[in-house]
Amino acid sequence: SPELLDLLCQFITTISSGYHEHSFHNFEHASHVAMACSKLLHAIETGSKGVSTSDIPSRSGAEAIARDPLAQFSCIFAAVIHDVDHPGVPNSTLISEKSPVAEVYKGRAISEQNSFQIAWALFLEDHYKDLRLTLCPDPQELARFRQLLVNLVLATDL
């Protein structure tokens, strides 16, 4: 519906304002990652451009994602949020400089956990209730969506 699309646009606009103007971990980068994820998911789903699930080592995983709209949405959503509020330095620098955020996340996937927490807190705001209920109509789907996002965003800790 137009109202849900507007809510999603509001969410993305708010997330984009949480990105800093670094040379790499910025909203332009997040947009590129989201577009690449979208194209890859489309290629997996349709077998276009010579990509088939038989070409992918984890074929059953790719096929499962191709059949799961929430998993597909999670991939793109995670791409959009994965570097929000990134300080522009590696996690190791945050640890060595004894950054408060490094202490909060006990030196593990610091920027990634912080990005997830900021985005999840925003998603849980009452303003986004209709978006949340459309994506996740019951508590089990909300928990699954959360776990998908955690796994995807933390996987960017390279």
Side-chain angles (χ1 to χ4, degrees):
S1 78
E3 295 81 19
L4 287 173
L5 184 57
D6 185 53
L7 271 178
L8 182 58
C9 288
Q10 288 175 36
F11 181 88
I12 291 170
T13 299
T14 303
I15 285 295
S16 73
S17 70
Y19 275 83
H20 304 290
E21 291 299 321
H22 303 299
S23 60
F24 184 70
H25 299 284
N26 53 44
F27 190 68
E28 183 178 1
H29 161 69
S31 299
H32 291 166
V33 174
M35 183 57 75
C37 286
S38 176
K39 288 183 177 223
L40 179 60
L41 288 167
H42 179 72
I44 290 169
E45 189 174 18
T46 63
S48 64
K49 295 194 180 197
V51 175
S52 76
T53 55
S54 63
D55 296 330
I56 300 169
S58 177
R59 189 169 133 187
S60 62
E63 290 170 347
I65 290 171
R67 291 188 309 265
D68 184 348
L70 185 60
Q72 289 181 17
F73 183 81
S74 298
C75 289
I76 297 168
F77 193 89
V80 170
I81 70 171
H82 83 278
D83 274 341
V84 70
D85 196 40
H86 197 290
V89 298
N91 287 330
S92 58
T93 301
L94 297 173
I95 294 167
S96 67
E97 292 178 351
K98 296 184 178 10
S99 168
V101 74
E103 292 178 22
V104 168
Y105 298 111
K106 300 181 181 15
R108 295 177 188 248
I110 300 156
S111 294
E112 297 75 17
Q113 288 193 72
N114 185 57
S115 293
F116 170 78
Q117 291 296 343
I118 288 168
W120 191 250
L122 179 65
F123 184 69
L124 291 181
E125 286 182 6
D126 195 49
H127 179 72
Y128 298 105
K129 180 181 179 183
D130 290 343
L131 178 62
R132 221 174 25 256
L133 289 174
T134 299
L135 291 169
C136 309
D138 59 56
Q140 293 78 17
E141 280 296 276
L142 184 63
R144 188 169 80 90
F145 182 52
R146 184 184 186 284
Q147 191 60 58
L148 284 165
L149 292 177
V150 167
N151 292 346
L152 289 162
V153 173
L154 267 57
T156 68
D157 180 22
L158 304 175

